[in-house]
Amino acid sequence: MKATIYRAEIEVSDIERGYYETHSLTLARHPSETEQRLMVRLLAFVMHAHPKLEFGRGLSTDDEPDLWLRDDTGAIDLWIDVGLPDERRLRRAAGRARELALLIYGERAAAVWWNKNARALARLPGLAIWSLKDADSASLTSLAARSMRLQCTLQEGHVTLCDAERYVLVEPERLQ
């Protein structure tokens, strides 16, 4: 089975960082990936938008993140994962990247994962962790389409995304 291709044109207005840019993205949805996870990856992109931010090769690649920002030498400035990765994966990533970001979702499983890993993850330098509520990830998934034109505003910890018909407010909670 082959990946399903999604295209997104996103106008990002990040008030906090003073970042205003339009990105044309191509996202490959792995056959085992849900549309929800795809949209959470898109949210992770929006939260860290940068002209050089790229999607990794996907779920089947253990040595790459979901997204990364590399400098001109190829060194990893920012490693971004989505979901509930193994603590060892994040520890290895911390040795390769200056900063790490993780966006977790699925409230019940995320709570269990967080209780199990919080102490070990607190020791990792440069790791930021955000959690999404189920209602937020479901709202985000409602925007999913093979071709998307979205406007996105980030302000005071809130992310608003809208297309021509829908408006979604997402409030990621910072855990670490």
Side-chain angles (χ1 to χ4, degrees):
M1 294 178 66
K2 294 188 178 201
T4 303
I5 303 301
Y6 288 69
R7 299 200 191 288
E9 185 170 308
I10 302 179
E11 294 177 26
V12 178
S13 299
D14 188 335
I15 310 302
E16 313 275 317
R17 294 189 299 148
Y19 181 83
Y20 306 93
E21 196 68 47
T22 299
H23 294 272
S24 293
L25 305 173
T26 301
L27 295 95
R29 182 176 145 212
H30 189 276
S32 67
E33 182 178 34
T34 64
E35 215 166 47
Q36 179 185 34
R37 187 176 191 285
L38 175 94
M39 293 304 289
V40 173
R41 282 195 298 132
L42 186 62
L43 176 65
F45 180 92
V46 165
M47 290 173 63
H48 300 89
H50 186 280
K52 292 184 178 182
L53 185 61
E54 303 175 323
F55 289 95
R57 287 185 287 177
L59 290 173
S60 58
T61 310
D62 287 338
D63 62 339
E64 284 187 14
D66 289 305
L67 298 112
W68 53 4
L69 179 62
R70 294 179 285 186
D71 68 15
D72 293 335
T73 69
I76 304 169
D77 286 330
L78 177 61
W79 175 293
I80 303 171
D81 267 340
V82 167
L84 307 172
D86 186 73
E87 179 264 334
R88 290 181 305 239
R89 174 182 168 83
L90 293 172
R91 206 172 341 113
R92 283 192 307 270
R96 295 180 59 195
R98 276 192 27 243
E99 292 181 60
L100 302 169
L102 176 61
L103 186 55
I104 64 175
Y105 64 100
E107 282 181 77
R108 282 188 178 177
V112 170
W113 178 88
W114 180 242
N115 287 334
K116 177 183 173 190
N117 293 293
R119 177 178 250 159
L121 296 177
R123 293 189 295 262
L124 293 181
L127 173 60
I129 302 174
W130 285 271
S131 177
L132 279 182
K133 295 196 179 313
D134 287 344
D136 285 351
S137 59
S139 295
L140 190 60
T141 304
S142 74
L143 294 172
R146 296 281 302 276
S147 180
M148 298 176 268
R149 286 185 59 89
L150 302 171
Q151 279 123 17
C152 174
T153 303
L154 293 89
Q155 185 174 14
E156 297 177 4
H158 298 78
V159 182
T160 57
L161 293 117
C162 60
D163 61 13
E165 301 165 2
R166 293 166 297 250
Y167 171 89
V168 171
L169 174 64
V170 179
E171 300 178 72
E173 178 188 357
R174 179 93 184 242
L175 299 179
Q176 175 175 310

